[in-house]
Amino acid sequence: MGLRESDKFGTLAIHAGTHIDIHGSVIEPISLSTTYKQSSPAEPLGAYEYSRSSNPNRKNFEDAVAALEKGKYGLAFSSGSATTAIVVQSLPQGSHAVSIGDVYGGTHRYFTQVANNHGVDTDFTNNLIEDLPKLIKDNTKLVWLESPTNPTLKVTDIKLVSEIVKTINKDILVVVDNTFSSPYLCNPLTLGADIVVHSATKYINGHSDVVLGVLATNNEAIYERLQFLQNAVGAIPSPFDSWLAHRGLKTLHLRVRQAALSATKIAELLSASDKVIAVNYPGLPTHPDYEIVKKQHRDALGGGMISFRIKGGAEAAAKFSSSTRLFTLAESLGGIESLLEVPAVMTHGGIPKEHREASGVYDDLIRLSVGIEDVDDLLQDIKEALEAATAK
Ligand SMILES: *Cc1c(COP(=O)(O)O)cnc(C)c1O
């Protein structure tokens, strides 16, 4: 397949990592074989030996994600959480890490309840830009951030963070969890990050039917170390899941664009409503980080995630989230179908109230993952649920 340097996102999404097999199949078959024939000892016929080390469907998916993230190398894992674990586990004993405060709950749990037992200590801050110079120590090896954050959708200037970190010590790795943006909105490797990680369970697969993680990098030494761990630890996705995630990725640009356009209209409706206290949506010019969004996101799109505070407290939030017709009350995000949740009692229920509220997660906060249903129907659904939740 002759892809060109100049090929744009949609072309790469469809064609990167795809190959025509010996039958001429336009879509590659699912290769379930666990082992591959060798012509003489240690002389494999093709590129593969044993399926944990590598297999065709996983390799195709890894190549496709690398292309969309403008990276040379991709590596897939059995979940986003396994991807995080492998990256953090690649650090030597006695290392120190700095992480953004309102990081994904499972990432916080890994840093504070697993990595610490393996000799990696982490400091958290909600103000990376200001605090990095104070927090970075001689043994700091990694800075971890997520943008936009979950569920309050704060956007961090990735280029500025990378510059600050590399000025202090160019060997410190900058890792960006790009799950909420997806490679369509933002490519952290082009902004100075060393590694970009995804829960492909969300936008990349996009159909809420696969749990899978993936990372990309341009650094060969990092790639070799992480590929070694991918094989040594063995937390790998199956050929079938890799194939499904690759199929999902081919429509990433269409799905994310539509979700962002619909989310913008929904965020505008919520902002204008007298039943709403505040709206967090990075695509609104009133968002405090909108200047960063304009530099960092494709076409200044805000993505498919919104959170907002409803009037009437926890009770109204509960009523709203059980009154929608099209938005399904469920955890997770980034699929074709619209979902909603109440973070204070669902995804962020384990965090003490003061901590939660310090980062904006109040009892009345509702998080929406906007899907790709017709936007008029979604708007009507939100309007009716607002009425139902605040009716006397
Ligand atoms: C879901 C999620 C993860 C964890 O991914 P899994 O595939 O569920 O293990 C990590 N980071 C972010 C931002 C997520 O939303």
Side-chain angles (χ1 to χ4, degrees):
M1 246 298 300
L3 282 170
R4 296 190 181 151
E5 198 75 37
S6 59
D7 283 332
K8 300 214 168 66
F9 195 96
T11 306
L12 295 174
I14 304 296
H15 292 291
T18 65
H19 308 277
I20 303 286
D21 75 353
I22 51 167
H23 306 298
S25 310
V26 168
I27 294 299
E28 219 161 337
I30 301 170
S31 183
L32 293 174
S33 189
T34 55
T35 189
Y36 293 85
K37 183 178 160 85
Q38 312 204 357
S39 54
S40 55
E43 293 289 336
L45 285 180
Y48 304 104
E49 287 171 46
Y50 182 63
S51 186
R52 169 167 30 78
S53 316
S54 190
N55 65 66
N57 300 111
R58 192 174 91 208
K59 180 72 168 72
N60 294 344
F61 173 70
E62 291 170 339
D63 288 349
V65 172
L68 297 188
E69 279 293 9
K70 304 199 191 307
K72 284 198 194 118
Y73 312 102
L75 288 169
F77 298 87
S78 51
S79 65
S81 304
T83 314
T84 301
I86 294 290
V87 171
V88 179
Q89 224 175 74
S90 72
L91 304 178
Q93 282 237 346
S95 299
H96 172 251
V98 179
S99 170
I100 202 158
D102 41 5
V103 75
Y104 177 69
T107 304
H108 187 270
R109 180 173 59 206
Y110 193 84
F111 277 126
T112 56
Q113 296 184 54
V114 185
N116 58 329
N117 292 321
H118 296 269
V120 174
D121 284 319
T122 309
D123 279 313
F124 295 89
T125 169
N126 278 333
N127 194 345
L128 266 185
I129 308 277
E130 205 164 286
D131 292 347
L132 271 173
K134 282 179 280 181
L135 291 175
I136 288 180
K137 308 194 248 188
D138 289 346
N139 62 338
T140 303
K141 296 273 193 274
L142 180 146
V143 171
W144 187 285
L145 72 97
E146 220 172 282
S147 179
T149 55
N150 176 22
T152 52
L153 303 165
K154 298 180 191 94
V155 178
T156 299
D157 188 332
I158 297 170
K159 189 154 181 268
L160 184 57
V161 167
S162 304
E163 279 165 10
I164 295 170
V165 171
K166 300 294 174 178
T167 307
I168 299 171
N169 178 349
K170 66 175 176 34
D171 294 330
I172 297 174
L173 299 179
V174 175
V175 184
V176 177
D177 181 336
N178 200 29
T179 301
F180 269 46
S181 293
S182 93
Y184 181 68
L185 289 195
C186 175
N187 292 130
L189 299 180
T190 66
L191 301 168
D194 299 285
I195 304 173
V196 54
V197 306
H198 284 277
S199 169
T201 314
K202 318 293 167 52
Y203 285 103
I204 289 182
N205 177 62
H207 292 70
S208 306
D209 50 14
V210 176
V211 172
L212 196 144
V214 66
L215 64 81
T217 181
N218 273 311
N219 181 314
E220 190 176 358
I222 294 173
Y223 169 68
E224 281 175 359
R225 173 79 185 136
L226 295 172
Q227 188 190 34
F228 169 81
L229 287 171
Q230 181 193 41
N231 183 50
V233 175
I236 47 126
S238 70
F240 182 53
D241 282 353
S242 303
W243 184 90
L244 272 178
H246 192 183
R247 170 163 113 155
L249 164 153
K250 291 177 195 210
T251 52
L252 181 68
H253 50 303
L254 304 178
R255 290 185 283 104
V256 172
R257 189 165 193 90
Q258 184 56 52
L261 296 175
S262 299
T264 305
K265 292 196 175 165
I266 293 170
E268 284 165 358
L269 177 138
L270 290 168
S271 302
S273 168
D274 60 2
K275 299 173 169 43
V276 169
I277 298 171
V279 179
N280 305 313
Y281 183 63
L284 290 180
T286 49
H287 188 282
D289 304 322
Y290 191 65
E291 287 307 309
I292 306 169
V293 173
K294 285 203 285 188
K295 291 191 292 187
Q296 194 161 288
H297 288 191
R298 183 187 303 272
D299 303 336
L301 291 171
M305 301 299 294
I306 305 173
S307 61
F308 69 98
R309 296 184 62 192
I310 192 167
K311 282 187 188 161
E315 202 185 320
K319 191 107 186 274
F320 179 91
S321 49
S322 27
S323 303
T324 48
R325 179 175 71 93
L326 299 173
F327 279 82
T328 301
L329 179 57
E331 296 187 3
S332 200
L333 60 114
I336 49 176
E337 71 292 315
S338 294
L339 300 179
L340 89 171
E341 66 128 357
V342 181
V345 289
M346 293 172 67
T347 49
H348 294 61
I351 307 173
K353 192 175 164 96
E354 312 131 56
H355 282 209
R356 259 201 289 120
E357 295 197 341
S359 55
V361 186
Y362 297 95
D363 292 346
D364 55 15
L365 190 78
I366 295 167
R367 186 185 82 176
L368 305 177
S369 170
V370 178
I372 57 170
E373 300 93 336
D374 193 286
V375 65
D376 292 338
D377 297 330
L378 293 179
L379 287 164
Q380 190 58 29
D381 196 24
I382 297 289
K383 266 190 227 160
E384 287 175 13
L386 281 173
E387 289 298 336
T390 52
K392 288 284 169 329

